[in-house]
């Protein structure tokens, strides 16, 4: 974005401002010279996987009423993809490769937010659609991420309208083949 002048020569270098989407302030923005070893192509250090995300509002039963015997309230889960930051160990003095990898993995487990993109967007409530950004996704706390289910009708009980349409869209998505691993985030509830 910006330019700087090198004191040792007349040639101009470029700067890039890295903005961390999903964080509430510009406090974490960082200005780096271009090119920089700290900058990489999009998706170099992230992986997209399928999961279920608790993004629908909970349906409450009427006061004093319980669902009929054998029936459950509809699930709040919806099929989505999630961007997972992959552990990328940075070389530090006095630290061998195994130590760096373990540290990088431990830091990943402490992530609090992840970028989520739902399947079946046209079938979501309008207020959820309006909350999505230009990439048709938004940041969620990792405790909203749940493991993929292979038989949602049997495993989840009552499903929201059009859930199976979105689920089938996810199943047919050959670009994203992985699924959210269990116990990825320490603070989550996987």
């Amino acid at each position: 974005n910006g330019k700087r002048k090198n004191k040792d020569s007349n040639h101009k270098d470029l700067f890039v401002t890295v903005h961390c989407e999903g964080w509430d302030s510009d406090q974490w923005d960082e200005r780096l010279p271009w090119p920089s070893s700290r900058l990489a192509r999009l998706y170099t250090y992230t992986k997209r996987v399928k999961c279920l995300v608790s993004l629908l509002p909970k349906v409450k039963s009427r006061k004093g009423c319980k669902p009929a015997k054998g029936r459950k309230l509809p699930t709040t889960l919806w099929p989505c993809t999630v961007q997972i930051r992959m552990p990328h160990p940075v070389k530090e003095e006095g630290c061998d490769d195994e130590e760096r990898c373990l540290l990088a993995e431990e830091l990943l487990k402490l992530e609090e937010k992840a970028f989520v993109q739902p399947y079946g967007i046209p079938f979501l409530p309008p207020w959820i659609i309006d909350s999505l950004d230009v990439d048709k996704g938004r940041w969620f706390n990792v405790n909203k991420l749940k493991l993929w289910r292979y038989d949602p009708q049997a495993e989840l009980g009552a499903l929201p309208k059009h859930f199976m349409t979105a689920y089938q869209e996810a199943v047919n998505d050959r670009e994203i083949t992985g699924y959210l691993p269990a116990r990825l985030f320490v603070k989550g509830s996987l």
Side-chain angles (χ1 to χ4, degrees):
N1 289 2
K3 291 183 181 181
R4 71 175 171 156
K5 199 167 189 172
N6 189 333
K7 292 179 182 178
D8 299 330
S9 72
N10 289 330
H11 124 284
K12 295 179 181 179
D13 294 329
L14 295 176
F15 276 96
V16 176
T17 300
V18 178
H19 176 69
C20 300
E21 284 190 40
W23 296 86
D24 295 333
S25 76
D26 294 339
Q27 169 184 354
W28 303 106
D29 287 2
E30 192 171 356
R31 232 178 113 143
L32 299 171
W34 177 259
S36 169
S37 61
R38 295 189 50 216
L39 297 172
R41 293 180 66 97
L42 193 60
Y43 306 124
T44 300
Y45 300 111
T46 60
K47 181 178 181 176
R48 292 174 68 192
V49 295
K50 297 174 188 175
C51 68
L52 297 176
V53 177
S54 181
L55 72 102
L56 298 175
K58 287 185 178 181
V59 176
K60 296 182 181 182
S61 59
R62 291 189 188 131
K63 191 173 183 177
C65 296
K66 292 183 179 179
K69 190 172 183 170
R71 300 210 45 169
K72 294 182 179 179
L73 293 173
T75 182
T76 63
L77 300 177
W78 194 261
C80 297
T81 65
V82 62
Q83 296 280 353
I84 299 173
R85 185 178 58 81
M86 303 303 288
H88 176 58
V90 177
K91 182 83 171 153
E92 294 179 19
E93 275 189 51
C95 182
D96 65 24
D97 285 344
E98 187 175 338
E99 284 180 73
R100 289 184 307 123
C101 289
L102 289 173
L103 176 62
E105 289 172 11
E106 289 304 313
L107 291 173
L108 175 62
K109 290 179 181 179
L110 297 175
E111 291 287 324
E112 293 183 11
K113 292 185 177 185
F115 189 72
V116 170
Q117 295 171 302
Y119 286 101
I121 291 174
F123 304 113
L124 290 169
W127 62 269
I128 292 178
I129 295 171
D130 291 343
S131 74
L132 302 177
D133 71 9
V134 294
D135 295 319
K136 298 182 180 158
R138 78 178 227 223
W139 291 85
F140 279 87
N141 286 331
V142 296
N143 64 353
K144 299 278 189 186
L145 308 180
K146 308 299 178 193
L147 298 178
W148 186 256
R149 306 295 178 157
Y150 294 97
D151 188 0
Q153 291 175 317
E155 296 177 60
L156 300 176
L159 299 174
K161 188 176 181 180
H162 301 296
F163 177 96
M164 288 308 294
T165 304
Y167 184 86
Q168 197 57 49
E169 183 182 324
V171 168
N172 293 337
D173 184 351
R174 302 290 177 225
E175 187 177 313
I176 301 169
T177 57
Y179 299 95
L180 185 69
R183 296 179 300 282
L184 179 64
F185 303 103
V186 171
K187 293 184 180 183
S189 58
L190 300 177

